[in-house]
Amino acid sequence: MPDRARSAELAALTTIAAQVNCTQNLDEILSGALETTLEVMGVDAGEVFLINEETGELILHAHQGLSETFLSAEAVFALDECICGLSAESRQPVMAVDIATHPARSRPACLREGFRSLLCLPLLVHGQVLGLLNVQSRSSRQFTPEDEELLTAIGNQIGIAIANAQLIDDAEQRRATLDSVMNLSLIHI
């Protein structure tokens, strides 16, 4: 790999790590990480989905390079509905040079949007799938092992951000519950 490309990848990872460490706003982190990812990988579009623990569905949380029509059709879907869901279910990256001929079924919105190739990566933390990072190209593209390695490194940073956001949400909910109990106790004194 040329030094210039490697330098760009390292700069992208540094940028994403800084975003994860400098803010607690998950939407801001996901959007920034996705924008950096698309730029360094030279792809047309991408999404970050998070798994809804109650329904098991993938919920769109960040996106770049997608039409409003696509977004309305792809905002929520079940794990067993498409190539991307296959990645989340198998806990493995999934690559497709031509999504129209991939053995896993592609969703019609992807084909209407003109996507040919994609690389999906489950976002894992401590073995648990928290979501999915997906990048797409409108031209045929053979993603390389280096592309997968870079996306995995980015996905690890995103996974940390998601886990941290969940911990903060849990702590805030516990605090609210404790405050409520304390207020009730004070009323009865």
Side-chain angles (χ1 to χ4, degrees):
M1 172 180 298
D3 287 342
R4 184 178 300 139
R6 192 67 170 161
S7 293
E9 290 177 0
L10 291 173
L13 287 171
T14 301
T15 299
I16 292 168
Q19 291 167 342
V20 168
N21 292 317
C22 291
T23 183
Q24 293 180 350
N25 182 318
L26 184 59
D27 290 335
E28 188 178 312
I29 292 168
L30 296 178
S31 292
L34 188 57
E35 183 177 342
T36 302
T37 301
L38 298 184
E39 184 179 309
V40 74
M41 291 192 73
V43 291
D44 299 312
E47 306 107 339
V48 177
F49 294 92
L50 299 183
I51 293 181
N52 179 312
E53 292 179 18
E54 293 174 14
T55 66
E57 295 174 312
L58 288 162
I59 311 292
L60 183 64
H61 277 266
H63 59 84
Q64 295 274 329
L66 302 167
S67 71
E68 290 300 319
T69 303
F70 180 87
L71 294 172
S72 65
E74 294 295 306
V76 177
F77 61 90
L79 292 176
D80 61 354
E81 287 189 43
C82 67
I83 296 171
C84 298
L86 173 65
S87 178
E89 282 189 315
S90 70
R91 299 172 184 262
Q92 298 293 318
V94 173
M95 290 184 245
V97 174
D98 185 355
I99 63 172
T101 62
H102 192 277
R105 185 171 53 96
S106 239
R107 292 176 54 95
C110 290
L111 299 171
R112 283 193 306 269
E113 193 77 4
F115 295 129
R116 287 281 311 265
S117 302
L118 62 74
L119 176 54
C120 301
L121 178 86
L123 299 171
L124 300 167
V125 172
H126 304 298
Q128 180 184 1
V129 178
L130 301 179
L132 183 73
L133 174 58
N134 183 28
V135 296
Q136 301 112 322
S137 176
R138 288 185 173 88
S139 59
S140 182
R141 176 170 175 173
Q142 177 67 51
F143 289 99
T144 66
E146 292 81 15
D147 290 331
E148 184 179 329
E149 184 180 309
L150 174 62
L151 201 64
T152 299
I154 292 169
N156 289 339
Q157 292 295 316
I158 293 172
I160 290 167
I162 294 166
N164 288 345
Q166 289 175 342
L167 288 172
I168 290 167
D169 285 348
D170 289 348
E172 288 174 354
Q173 288 176 1
R174 287 186 183 128
R175 181 175 180 222
T177 300
L178 183 57
D179 286 348
S180 178
V181 168
M182 294 297 289
N183 287 337
L184 283 174
S185 296
L186 292 174
I187 292 173
H188 296 308
I189 293 181

